[in-house]
């Protein structure tokens, strides 16, 4: 990886910080960003060169692709001497579900939420509360309660249910939604995204097409990975000073500065000898 | 008490059922019903005869009045050879606060309620929740939550607060609000009030003024005593089949059949020789 541009090397360094991204998850990011629509495929060679720019070895990528096929995310087809990879319908659905949370310039949430409450006895909905929490749609609030978006369900069985359009969140709930280590990661991401925007503005033309694509994907991946560390909730659930909205604003600025290439343009740029030499060196 | 009318004796029997009413509480009922307004006083002799009709001995009444004076509910003044009793401003305020709950033909409740939630840690509002419950304005729902009428308070500190205009109550909350023994008392009161209405309709003219007053007061007292066994909540918080609204309807029918006498009329009827003989015999 010795022939990348200085801008790319510095930018990628900021986003990786010596931390190795999980390849499985990185490939999910790549397909979600570049090839989410039905029929969109990425060739094995282009994918190898793209992840190579992010420091991922071909063997690691093959292992990850194998696991993604086993888990039903990715389908691979032989094409001549190479192969083509695409999301399965399941993978597409998962990507589509995650996309608004990642890409929306401003997150919007329902006006109404609901709270489920269990009592202490066996017949007081404990098991139902556990089941609700397992869906991932609820925020656990202490041992007895869970809060979820939208109106309350029609049949709440043994649970007390309360529908609400107004609430106040104390510090202990905010710290549970976004604990200090996650808040620190937000602060770091805010600094990193700020630096990246400045770097790109200072050197707008210094990136090759594959570099711009790789950088975009690293940005999406860092952002997506941090979002997954906490539940999807309005700002009022987060600690004071949480820079979530500012980070989202910077993320959108970076997306505008690093627009997604068409798959054709990316494929041809990655099979262009200069790019290839950069990607494989 | 041998010269009361049959109707009174049967009716009073239904309402007392061998159970002795606490005299202190009975006198609170009497003043709340007959002499709640400022300046309204009941003479010692009229009071003695009135409670005598309910089976209360003069000594028991004197002890109760002494305690009520000590507790700041009642003031007593000497008047010639007798005495006059009246509610203190504190007693009047307490009575006035309880009256709507007792006498309203239909109870109305705020559209908005709020829920307070504590976590498990020390700094998560446990002490605040306990303090809220001590005010008597909240229904405890499991170890972590309490529900109260009206919008949520402005400053909820370490408590999670949720304002609501729609909720669903499971059986375990209903059974907590109105446990089986209280529900059984409601069913019994429903039967008793139904019988009383029928008795009064069958023999509308058979009661003397003091008997009608005493019967009215026994009805109010039984009703008030049962209401105090559970928190003041809308029907949706009570077990299915709870006859609370039906009991309230019957209570209002009884109040209409046993209208409150003016204090003057009551005093003169209780010093009328016939009534006196009835009351003192």
């Amino acid at each position: 990886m010795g022939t990348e541009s200085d801008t790319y090397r510095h930018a990628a360094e900021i986003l990786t910080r010596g931390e190795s991204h999980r390849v499985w998850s990185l490939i999910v990011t790549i397909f979600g960003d570049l090839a989410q629509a039905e029929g969109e495929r990425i060739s094995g060679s282009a994918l190898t060169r793209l992840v190579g720019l992010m420091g991922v070895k071909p063997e690691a990528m093959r292992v990850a692709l194998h696991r993604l096929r086993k888990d039903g995310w990715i389908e691979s087809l032989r094409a001549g001497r190479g192969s083509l990879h695409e999301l399965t319908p399941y993978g597409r659905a998962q990507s589509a579900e995650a996309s608004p949370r990642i890409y929306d310039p401003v997150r919007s949430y329902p006006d109404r939420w609901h709270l489920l409450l269990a009592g202490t006895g066996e017949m007081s909905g404990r098991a139902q509360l556990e089941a609700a929490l397992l869906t991932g749609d609820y925020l656990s609030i202490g041992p007895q309660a869970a809060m979820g978006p939208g109106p309350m369900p029609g049949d709440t069985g043994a649970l007390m249910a309360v529908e609400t359009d107004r609430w106040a969140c104390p510090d202990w709930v905010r710290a549970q939604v976004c604990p200090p280590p996650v808040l620190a990661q937000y602060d770091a991401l805010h600094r990193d995204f700020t630096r990246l925007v400045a770097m790109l503005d200072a050197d707008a033309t210094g990136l090759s097409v594959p570099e711009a694509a790789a950088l975009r994907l690293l940005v999406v991946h860092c952002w997506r990975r941090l979002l997954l560390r906490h539940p999807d909730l309005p700002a009022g659930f987060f600690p004071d000073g949480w820079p979530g909205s500012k980070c989202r604003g910077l993320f959108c600025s970076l997306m505008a500065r690093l627009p997604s290439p068409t798959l054709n343009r990316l494929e041809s740029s990655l099979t262009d000898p200069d790019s290839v030499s950069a990607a494989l060196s």
Side-chain angles (χ1 to χ4, degrees), chain A:
Chain A
M1 301 211 347
T3 58
E4 299 107 5
S5 67
D6 281 352
T7 303
Y8 178 75
R9 211 169 43 246
H10 291 151
E13 211 174 273
I14 289 173
L15 292 171
T16 48
R17 285 190 181 284
E19 210 188 325
S20 73
H21 292 290
R22 272 166 48 220
V23 183
W24 187 92
S25 173
L26 193 58
I27 292 176
V28 168
T29 298
I30 292 172
F31 277 88
D33 189 67
L34 287 178
Q36 197 184 110
E38 198 172 346
E40 290 188 327
R41 293 164 180 171
I42 305 177
S43 72
S45 53
L47 196 60
T48 307
R49 285 157 199 160
L50 198 56
V51 298
L53 271 171
M54 302 177 209
V56 175
K57 301 245 177 330
E59 308 83 70
M61 190 196 77
R62 274 195 293 272
V63 170
L65 278 175
H66 180 73
R67 191 178 144 199
L68 283 163
R69 274 191 297 271
K70 234 181 85 189
D71 291 351
W73 271 83
I74 294 274
E75 256 169 332
S76 302
L77 313 128
R78 296 235 50 95
R81 286 175 52 209
S83 56
L84 290 170
H85 309 284
E86 65 181 353
L87 287 172
T88 61
Y90 167 78
R92 264 203 306 283
Q94 297 285 104
S95 285
E97 203 190 313
S99 284
R101 195 172 167 199
I102 300 169
Y103 296 99
D104 276 0
V106 176
R107 276 305 273 151
S108 65
Y109 295 93
D111 292 334
R112 298 220 139 217
W113 289 61
H114 65 278
L115 203 91
L116 301 178
L117 276 172
T120 41
E122 224 177 277
M123 307 303 283
S124 68
R126 293 259 135 196
Q128 261 180 277
L129 192 71
E130 296 299 326
L133 285 169
L134 282 177
T135 64
D137 296 333
Y138 286 90
L139 170 69
S140 168
I141 299 180
Q144 194 193 340
M147 192 156 174
M152 64 191 203
D155 179 16
T156 46
L159 291 169
M160 173 100 195
V162 165
E163 198 169 300
T164 180
D165 56 5
R166 190 166 174 251
W167 59 88
C169 234
D171 290 342
W172 59 271
V173 171
R174 294 170 190 255
Q176 180 191 318
V177 167
C178 183
V182 179
L183 189 59
Q185 287 174 332
Y186 262 99
D187 287 333
L189 194 78
H190 183 244
R191 278 194 306 273
D192 294 345
F193 277 6
T194 305
R195 276 182 68 194
L196 275 179
V197 169
M199 280 175 66
L200 292 174
D201 285 352
D203 182 17
T205 54
L207 295 175
S208 68
V209 170
E211 283 177 344
L215 199 54
R216 173 186 169 90
L217 291 166
L218 281 176
V219 167
V220 174
H221 190 63
C222 287
W223 177 233
R224 173 176 164 261
R225 212 172 44 150
L226 186 48
L227 289 179
L228 293 177
R229 299 249 155 102
H230 61 77
D232 184 20
L233 293 167
F237 282 96
F238 286 80
D240 286 339
W242 173 65
S245 311
K246 281 192 244 167
C247 285
R248 184 170 289 277
L250 290 165
F251 172 78
C252 292
S253 299
L254 288 166
M255 290 298 98
R257 282 165 178 78
L258 301 163
S260 191
T262 63
L263 279 179
N264 278 347
R265 178 140 193 255
L266 186 68
E267 288 278 349
S268 64
S269 74
L270 283 166
T271 45
D272 173 275
D274 292 343
S275 301
V276 170
S277 69
L280 294 181
S281 60

mmCIF file with all atom_site columns, all heavy atoms in Angstrom, chain A residues 17-18 63 77 85 118 123 131 149-150 162 181 193 207 213 224-225 230 241 247 253 268 281:
data_model
loop_
_atom_site.group_PDB
_atom_site.id
_atom_site.type_symbol
_atom_site.label_atom_id
_atom_site.label_alt_id
_atom_site.label_comp_id
_atom_site.label_asym_id
_atom_site.label_entity_id
_atom_site.label_seq_id
_atom_site.pdbx_PDB_ins_code
_atom_site.Cartn_x
_atom_site.Cartn_y
_atom_site.Cartn_z
_atom_site.occupancy
_atom_site.B_iso_or_equiv
_atom_site.pdbx_formal_charge
_atom_site.auth_seq_id
_atom_site.auth_comp_id
_atom_site.auth_asym_id
_atom_site.auth_atom_id
_atom_site.pdbx_PDB_model_num
ATOM 1   N N   . ARG A 1 17  ? -6.896  4.244   12.887  1.00 0.00 ? 17  ARG A N   1
ATOM 2   C CA  . ARG A 1 17  ? -6.222  4.407   14.183  1.00 0.00 ? 17  ARG A CA  1
ATOM 3   C C   . ARG A 1 17  ? -5.655  3.093   14.715  1.00 0.00 ? 17  ARG A C   1
ATOM 4   O O   . ARG A 1 17  ? -5.863  2.750   15.874  1.00 0.00 ? 17  ARG A O   1
ATOM 5   C CB  . ARG A 1 17  ? -7.217  4.888   15.241  1.00 0.00 ? 17  ARG A CB  1
ATOM 6   C CG  . ARG A 1 17  ? -7.589  6.314   15.112  1.00 0.00 ? 17  ARG A CG  1
ATOM 7   C CD  . ARG A 1 17  ? -8.374  6.768   16.315  1.00 0.00 ? 17  ARG A CD  1
ATOM 8   N NE  . ARG A 1 17  ? -8.729  8.158   16.141  1.00 0.00 ? 17  ARG A NE  1
ATOM 9   C CZ  . ARG A 1 17  ? -7.874  9.164   16.290  1.00 0.00 ? 17  ARG A CZ  1
ATOM 10  N NH1 . ARG A 1 17  ? -6.628  8.937   16.649  1.00 0.00 ? 17  ARG A NH1 1
ATOM 11  N NH2 . ARG A 1 17  ? -8.283  10.405  16.110  1.00 0.00 ? 17  ARG A NH2 1
ATOM 12  N N   . GLY A 1 18  ? -5.047  2.332   13.826  1.00 0.00 ? 18  GLY A N   1
ATOM 13  C CA  . GLY A 1 18  ? -4.424  1.099   14.290  1.00 0.00 ? 18  GLY A CA  1
ATOM 14  C C   . GLY A 1 18  ? -5.431  0.023   14.652  1.00 0.00 ? 18  GLY A C   1
ATOM 15  O O   . GLY A 1 18  ? -5.102  -1.150  14.782  1.00 0.00 ? 18  GLY A O   1
ATOM 16  N N   . VAL A 1 63  ? -12.382 -15.433 3.707   1.00 0.00 ? 63  VAL A N   1
ATOM 17  C CA  . VAL A 1 63  ? -12.988 -16.024 4.909   1.00 0.00 ? 63  VAL A CA  1
ATOM 18  C C   . VAL A 1 63  ? -14.282 -15.297 5.254   1.00 0.00 ? 63  VAL A C   1
ATOM 19  O O   . VAL A 1 63  ? -15.310 -15.916 5.533   1.00 0.00 ? 63  VAL A O   1
ATOM 20  C CB  . VAL A 1 63  ? -11.990 -15.969 6.093   1.00 0.00 ? 63  VAL A CB  1
ATOM 21  C CG1 . VAL A 1 63  ? -12.693 -16.360 7.394   1.00 0.00 ? 63  VAL A CG1 1
ATOM 22  C CG2 . VAL A 1 63  ? -10.787 -16.862 5.830   1.00 0.00 ? 63  VAL A CG2 1
ATOM 23  N N   . LEU A 1 77  ? -21.477 -15.626 -7.557  1.00 0.00 ? 77  LEU A N   1
ATOM 24  C CA  . LEU A 1 77  ? -21.666 -16.342 -8.823  1.00 0.00 ? 77  LEU A CA  1
ATOM 25  C C   . LEU A 1 77  ? -20.342 -16.385 -9.548  1.00 0.00 ? 77  LEU A C   1
ATOM 26  O O   . LEU A 1 77  ? -19.554 -15.432 -9.480  1.00 0.00 ? 77  LEU A O   1
ATOM 27  C CB  . LEU A 1 77  ? -22.665 -15.572 -9.715  1.00 0.00 ? 77  LEU A CB  1
ATOM 28  C CG  . LEU A 1 77  ? -23.951 -15.084 -9.070  1.00 0.00 ? 77  LEU A CG  1
ATOM 29  C CD1 . LEU A 1 77  ? -24.175 -13.600 -9.338  1.00 0.00 ? 77  LEU A CD1 1
ATOM 30  C CD2 . LEU A 1 77  ? -25.097 -15.911 -9.645  1.00 0.00 ? 77  LEU A CD2 1
ATOM 31  N N   . HIS A 1 85  ? -20.263 -10.870 -6.684  1.00 0.00 ? 85  HIS A N   1
ATOM 32  C CA  . HIS A 1 85  ? -20.933 -10.990 -5.381  1.00 0.00 ? 85  HIS A CA  1
ATOM 33  C C   . HIS A 1 85  ? -22.078 -10.002 -5.302  1.00 0.00 ? 85  HIS A C   1
ATOM 34  O O   . HIS A 1 85  ? -21.971 -8.882  -5.767  1.00 0.00 ? 85  HIS A O   1
ATOM 35  C CB  . HIS A 1 85  ? -19.932 -10.726 -4.247  1.00 0.00 ? 85  HIS A CB  1
ATOM 36  C CG  . HIS A 1 85  ? -18.684 -11.538 -4.361  1.00 0.00 ? 85  HIS A CG  1
ATOM 37  N ND1 . HIS A 1 85  ? -18.638 -12.880 -4.038  1.00 0.00 ? 85  HIS A ND1 1
ATOM 38  C CD2 . HIS A 1 85  ? -17.431 -11.211 -4.790  1.00 0.00 ? 85  HIS A CD2 1
ATOM 39  C CE1 . HIS A 1 85  ? -17.417 -13.342 -4.245  1.00 0.00 ? 85  HIS A CE1 1
ATOM 40  N NE2 . HIS A 1 85  ? -16.654 -12.349 -4.712  1.00 0.00 ? 85  HIS A NE2 1
ATOM 41  N N   . ALA A 1 118 ? -43.605 -4.300  34.069  1.00 0.00 ? 118 ALA A N   1
ATOM 42  C CA  . ALA A 1 118 ? -43.903 -5.581  34.717  1.00 0.00 ? 118 ALA A CA  1
ATOM 43  C C   . ALA A 1 118 ? -43.921 -5.365  36.229  1.00 0.00 ? 118 ALA A C   1
ATOM 44  O O   . ALA A 1 118 ? -43.350 -4.401  36.733  1.00 0.00 ? 118 ALA A O   1
ATOM 45  C CB  . ALA A 1 118 ? -42.844 -6.612  34.349  1.00 0.00 ? 118 ALA A CB  1
ATOM 46  N N   . MET A 1 123 ? -46.800 -13.802 37.535  1.00 0.00 ? 123 MET A N   1
ATOM 47  C CA  . MET A 1 123 ? -47.915 -13.562 36.622  1.00 0.00 ? 123 MET A CA  1
ATOM 48  C C   . MET A 1 123 ? -48.006 -12.087 36.228  1.00 0.00 ? 123 MET A C   1
ATOM 49  O O   . MET A 1 123 ? -49.018 -11.643 35.716  1.00 0.00 ? 123 MET A O   1
ATOM 50  C CB  . MET A 1 123 ? -49.230 -13.988 37.263  1.00 0.00 ? 123 MET A CB  1
ATOM 51  C CG  . MET A 1 123 ? -49.237 -15.400 37.788  1.00 0.00 ? 123 MET A CG  1
ATOM 52  S SD  . MET A 1 123 ? -48.839 -16.594 36.484  1.00 0.00 ? 123 MET A SD  1
ATOM 53  C CE  . MET A 1 123 ? -50.418 -16.620 35.617  1.00 0.00 ? 123 MET A CE  1
ATOM 54  N N   . ALA A 1 131 ? -39.331 -10.841 26.633  1.00 0.00 ? 131 ALA A N   1
ATOM 55  C CA  . ALA A 1 131 ? -39.566 -11.112 25.207  1.00 0.00 ? 131 ALA A CA  1
ATOM 56  C C   . ALA A 1 131 ? -39.571 -9.813  24.404  1.00 0.00 ? 131 ALA A C   1
ATOM 57  O O   . ALA A 1 131 ? -39.004 -9.738  23.316  1.00 0.00 ? 131 ALA A O   1
ATOM 58  C CB  . ALA A 1 131 ? -40.884 -11.862 25.029  1.00 0.00 ? 131 ALA A CB  1
ATOM 59  N N   . PRO A 1 149 ? -40.829 2.742   20.568  1.00 0.00 ? 149 PRO A N   1
ATOM 60  C CA  . PRO A 1 149 ? -41.431 3.781   19.725  1.00 0.00 ? 149 PRO A CA  1
ATOM 61  C C   . PRO A 1 149 ? -42.844 3.410   19.285  1.00 0.00 ? 149 PRO A C   1
ATOM 62  O O   . PRO A 1 149 ? -43.197 2.238   19.226  1.00 0.00 ? 149 PRO A O   1
ATOM 63  C CB  . PRO A 1 149 ? -40.488 3.823   18.522  1.00 0.00 ? 149 PRO A CB  1
ATOM 64  C CG  . PRO A 1 149 ? -39.885 2.458   18.464  1.00 0.00 ? 149 PRO A CG  1
ATOM 65  C CD  . PRO A 1 149 ? -39.837 1.933   19.875  1.00 0.00 ? 149 PRO A CD  1
ATOM 66  N N   . GLY A 1 150 ? -43.647 4.435   19.001  1.00 0.00 ? 150 GLY A N   1
ATOM 67  C CA  . GLY A 1 150 ? -44.986 4.236   18.462  1.00 0.00 ? 150 GLY A CA  1
ATOM 68  C C   . GLY A 1 150 ? -46.036 4.035   19.532  1.00 0.00 ? 150 GLY A C   1
ATOM 69  O O   . GLY A 1 150 ? -45.728 3.991   20.718  1.00 0.00 ? 150 GLY A O   1
ATOM 70  N N   . VAL A 1 162 ? -48.345 2.124   28.923  1.00 0.00 ? 162 VAL A N   1
ATOM 71  C CA  . VAL A 1 162 ? -48.621 3.556   29.028  1.00 0.00 ? 162 VAL A CA  1
ATOM 72  C C   . VAL A 1 162 ? -48.148 4.213   27.748  1.00 0.00 ? 162 VAL A C   1
ATOM 73  O O   . VAL A 1 162 ? -46.997 4.061   27.358  1.00 0.00 ? 162 VAL A O   1
ATOM 74  C CB  . VAL A 1 162 ? -47.864 4.146   30.243  1.00 0.00 ? 162 VAL A CB  1
ATOM 75  C CG1 . VAL A 1 162 ? -47.817 5.653   30.166  1.00 0.00 ? 162 VAL A CG1 1
ATOM 76  C CG2 . VAL A 1 162 ? -48.487 3.693   31.544  1.00 0.00 ? 162 VAL A CG2 1
ATOM 77  N N   . PRO A 1 181 ? -17.843 5.443   27.862  1.00 0.00 ? 181 PRO A N   1
ATOM 78  C CA  . PRO A 1 181 ? -16.932 5.048   26.770  1.00 0.00 ? 181 PRO A CA  1
ATOM 79  C C   . PRO A 1 181 ? -17.515 5.344   25.381  1.00 0.00 ? 181 PRO A C   1
ATOM 80  O O   . PRO A 1 181 ? -16.771 5.731   24.468  1.00 0.00 ? 181 PRO A O   1
ATOM 81  C CB  . PRO A 1 181 ? -16.779 3.535   26.964  1.00 0.00 ? 181 PRO A CB  1
ATOM 82  C CG  . PRO A 1 181 ? -17.230 3.244   28.356  1.00 0.00 ? 181 PRO A CG  1
ATOM 83  C CD  . PRO A 1 181 ? -18.219 4.310   28.725  1.00 0.00 ? 181 PRO A CD  1
ATOM 84  N N   . PHE A 1 193 ? -13.923 13.417  12.203  1.00 0.00 ? 193 PHE A N   1
ATOM 85  C CA  . PHE A 1 193 ? -14.720 13.879  11.058  1.00 0.00 ? 193 PHE A CA  1
ATOM 86  C C   . PHE A 1 193 ? -14.406 15.347  10.757  1.00 0.00 ? 193 PHE A C   1
ATOM 87  O O   . PHE A 1 193 ? -14.342 15.750  9.598   1.00 0.00 ? 193 PHE A O   1
ATOM 88  C CB  . PHE A 1 193 ? -16.215 13.692  11.343  1.00 0.00 ? 193 PHE A CB  1
ATOM 89  C CG  . PHE A 1 193 ? -16.739 12.292  11.066  1.00 0.00 ? 193 PHE A CG  1
ATOM 90  C CD1 . PHE A 1 193 ? -15.874 11.254  10.717  1.00 0.00 ? 193 PHE A CD1 1
ATOM 91  C CD2 . PHE A 1 193 ? -18.107 12.012  11.138  1.00 0.00 ? 193 PHE A CD2 1
ATOM 92  C CE1 . PHE A 1 193 ? -16.364 9.967   10.455  1.00 0.00 ? 193 PHE A CE1 1
ATOM 93  C CE2 . PHE A 1 193 ? -18.597 10.731  10.866  1.00 0.00 ? 193 PHE A CE2 1
ATOM 94  C CZ  . PHE A 1 193 ? -17.729 9.710   10.528  1.00 0.00 ? 193 PHE A CZ  1
ATOM 95  N N   . LEU A 1 207 ? -7.418  12.674  -4.528  1.00 0.00 ? 207 LEU A N   1
ATOM 96  C CA  . LEU A 1 207 ? -7.799  11.276  -4.357  1.00 0.00 ? 207 LEU A CA  1
ATOM 97  C C   . LEU A 1 207 ? -8.168  10.634  -5.685  1.00 0.00 ? 207 LEU A C   1
ATOM 98  O O   . LEU A 1 207 ? -8.879  11.219  -6.489  1.00 0.00 ? 207 LEU A O   1
ATOM 99  C CB  . LEU A 1 207 ? -9.007  11.166  -3.414  1.00 0.00 ? 207 LEU A CB  1
ATOM 100 C CG  . LEU A 1 207 ? -8.820  11.602  -1.964  1.00 0.00 ? 207 LEU A CG  1
ATOM 101 C CD1 . LEU A 1 207 ? -10.150 11.533  -1.238  1.00 0.00 ? 207 LEU A CD1 1
ATOM 102 C CD2 . LEU A 1 207 ? -7.781  10.719  -1.271  1.00 0.00 ? 207 LEU A CD2 1
ATOM 103 N N   . ALA A 1 213 ? -13.549 6.190   -2.987  1.00 0.00 ? 213 ALA A N   1
ATOM 104 C CA  . ALA A 1 213 ? -14.545 5.184   -2.615  1.00 0.00 ? 213 ALA A CA  1
ATOM 105 C C   . ALA A 1 213 ? -14.161 4.516   -1.298  1.00 0.00 ? 213 ALA A C   1
ATOM 106 O O   . ALA A 1 213 ? -14.994 4.332   -0.397  1.00 0.00 ? 213 ALA A O   1
ATOM 107 C CB  . ALA A 1 213 ? -14.683 4.144   -3.726  1.00 0.00 ? 213 ALA A CB  1
ATOM 108 N N   . ARG A 1 224 ? -21.374 3.845   11.130  1.00 0.00 ? 224 ARG A N   1
ATOM 109 C CA  . ARG A 1 224 ? -22.329 2.754   11.333  1.00 0.00 ? 224 ARG A CA  1
ATOM 110 C C   . ARG A 1 224 ? -21.969 1.950   12.583  1.00 0.00 ? 224 ARG A C   1
ATOM 111 O O   . ARG A 1 224 ? -22.836 1.612   13.395  1.00 0.00 ? 224 ARG A O   1
ATOM 112 C CB  . ARG A 1 224 ? -22.286 1.858   10.090  1.00 0.00 ? 224 ARG A CB  1
ATOM 113 C CG  . ARG A 1 224 ? -23.090 0.586   10.202  1.00 0.00 ? 224 ARG A CG  1
ATOM 114 C CD  . ARG A 1 224 ? -23.071 -0.204  8.884   1.00 0.00 ? 224 ARG A CD  1
ATOM 115 N NE  . ARG A 1 224 ? -23.513 -1.569  9.135   1.00 0.00 ? 224 ARG A NE  1
ATOM 116 C CZ  . ARG A 1 224 ? -22.675 -2.594  9.296   1.00 0.00 ? 224 ARG A CZ  1
ATOM 117 N NH1 . ARG A 1 224 ? -21.370 -2.430  9.188   1.00 0.00 ? 224 ARG A NH1 1
ATOM 118 N NH2 . ARG A 1 224 ? -23.159 -3.802  9.565   1.00 0.00 ? 224 ARG A NH2 1
ATOM 119 N N   . ARG A 1 225 ? -20.670 1.699   12.761  1.00 0.00 ? 225 ARG A N   1
ATOM 120 C CA  . ARG A 1 225 ? -20.220 0.910   13.906  1.00 0.00 ? 225 ARG A CA  1
ATOM 121 C C   . ARG A 1 225 ? -20.535 1.623   15.216  1.00 0.00 ? 225 ARG A C   1
ATOM 122 O O   . ARG A 1 225 ? -20.920 1.001   16.200  1.00 0.00 ? 225 ARG A O   1
ATOM 123 C CB  . ARG A 1 225 ? -18.716 0.685   13.780  1.00 0.00 ? 225 ARG A CB  1
ATOM 124 C CG  . ARG A 1 225 ? -18.260 -0.620  14.351  1.00 0.00 ? 225 ARG A CG  1
ATOM 125 C CD  . ARG A 1 225 ? -16.818 -0.861  14.017  1.00 0.00 ? 225 ARG A CD  1
ATOM 126 N NE  . ARG A 1 225 ? -16.029 0.356   14.214  1.00 0.00 ? 225 ARG A NE  1
ATOM 127 C CZ  . ARG A 1 225 ? -14.743 0.366   14.553  1.00 0.00 ? 225 ARG A CZ  1
ATOM 128 N NH1 . ARG A 1 225 ? -14.111 -0.777  14.701  1.00 0.00 ? 225 ARG A NH1 1
ATOM 129 N NH2 . ARG A 1 225 ? -14.095 1.489   14.700  1.00 0.00 ? 225 ARG A NH2 1
ATOM 130 N N   . HIS A 1 230 ? -25.346 1.840   20.429  1.00 0.00 ? 230 HIS A N   1
ATOM 131 C CA  . HIS A 1 230 ? -26.407 2.332   21.307  1.00 0.00 ? 230 HIS A CA  1
ATOM 132 C C   . HIS A 1 230 ? -27.743 2.222   20.591  1.00 0.00 ? 230 HIS A C   1
ATOM 133 O O   . HIS A 1 230 ? -27.784 2.140   19.358  1.00 0.00 ? 230 HIS A O   1
ATOM 134 C CB  . HIS A 1 230 ? -26.130 3.782   21.718  1.00 0.00 ? 230 HIS A CB  1
ATOM 135 C CG  . HIS A 1 230 ? -26.063 4.734   20.566  1.00 0.00 ? 230 HIS A CG  1
ATOM 136 N ND1 . HIS A 1 230 ? -27.178 5.191   19.921  1.00 0.00 ? 230 HIS A ND1 1
ATOM 137 C CD2 . HIS A 1 230 ? -25.008 5.284   19.919  1.00 0.00 ? 230 HIS A CD2 1
ATOM 138 C CE1 . HIS A 1 230 ? -26.816 6.006   18.930  1.00 0.00 ? 230 HIS A CE1 1
ATOM 139 N NE2 . HIS A 1 230 ? -25.507 6.064   18.903  1.00 0.00 ? 230 HIS A NE2 1
ATOM 140 N N   . GLY A 1 241 ? -24.450 17.269  26.021  1.00 0.00 ? 241 GLY A N   1
ATOM 141 C CA  . GLY A 1 241 ? -23.164 17.423  25.344  1.00 0.00 ? 241 GLY A CA  1
ATOM 142 C C   . GLY A 1 241 ? -22.870 16.312  24.350  1.00 0.00 ? 241 GLY A C   1
ATOM 143 O O   . GLY A 1 241 ? -21.826 16.337  23.695  1.00 0.00 ? 241 GLY A O   1
ATOM 144 N N   . CYS A 1 247 ? -22.100 15.103  14.719  1.00 0.00 ? 247 CYS A N   1
ATOM 145 C CA  . CYS A 1 247 ? -21.420 14.043  13.979  1.00 0.00 ? 247 CYS A CA  1
ATOM 146 C C   . CYS A 1 247 ? -22.198 13.689  12.716  1.00 0.00 ? 247 CYS A C   1
ATOM 147 O O   . CYS A 1 247 ? -21.619 13.482  11.644  1.00 0.00 ? 247 CYS A O   1
ATOM 148 C CB  . CYS A 1 247 ? -21.268 12.791  14.846  1.00 0.00 ? 247 CYS A CB  1
ATOM 149 S SG  . CYS A 1 247 ? -19.971 12.942  16.094  1.00 0.00 ? 247 CYS A SG  1
ATOM 150 N N   . SER A 1 253 ? -21.639 15.912  5.419   1.00 0.00 ? 253 SER A N   1
ATOM 151 C CA  . SER A 1 253 ? -20.658 16.720  4.670   1.00 0.00 ? 253 SER A CA  1
ATOM 152 C C   . SER A 1 253 ? -19.641 15.816  3.990   1.00 0.00 ? 253 SER A C   1
ATOM 153 O O   . SER A 1 253 ? -19.265 16.032  2.824   1.00 0.00 ? 253 SER A O   1
ATOM 154 C CB  . SER A 1 253 ? -19.891 17.654  5.621   1.00 0.00 ? 253 SER A CB  1
ATOM 155 O OG  . SER A 1 253 ? -20.761 18.534  6.245   1.00 0.00 ? 253 SER A OG  1
ATOM 156 N N   . SER A 1 268 ? -14.149 -0.134  -13.335 1.00 0.00 ? 268 SER A N   1
ATOM 157 C CA  . SER A 1 268 ? -13.132 0.176   -14.350 1.00 0.00 ? 268 SER A CA  1
ATOM 158 C C   . SER A 1 268 ? -11.942 0.887   -13.712 1.00 0.00 ? 268 SER A C   1
ATOM 159 O O   . SER A 1 268 ? -10.805 0.656   -14.097 1.00 0.00 ? 268 SER A O   1
ATOM 160 C CB  . SER A 1 268 ? -13.734 0.991   -15.494 1.00 0.00 ? 268 SER A CB  1
ATOM 161 O OG  . SER A 1 268 ? -14.163 2.242   -14.997 1.00 0.00 ? 268 SER A OG  1
ATOM 162 N N   . SER A 1 281 ? -0.141  -3.287  -4.389  1.00 0.00 ? 281 SER A N   1
ATOM 163 C CA  . SER A 1 281 ? 1.254   -3.173  -3.977  1.00 0.00 ? 281 SER A CA  1
ATOM 164 C C   . SER A 1 281 ? 1.415   -3.416  -2.490  1.00 0.00 ? 281 SER A C   1
ATOM 165 O O   . SER A 1 281 ? 0.482   -3.274  -1.733  1.00 0.00 ? 281 SER A O   1
ATOM 166 C CB  . SER A 1 281 ? 1.781   -1.793  -4.338  1.00 0.00 ? 281 SER A CB  1
ATOM 167 O OG  . SER A 1 281 ? 1.021   -0.801  -3.682  1.00 0.00 ? 281 SER A OG  1
#
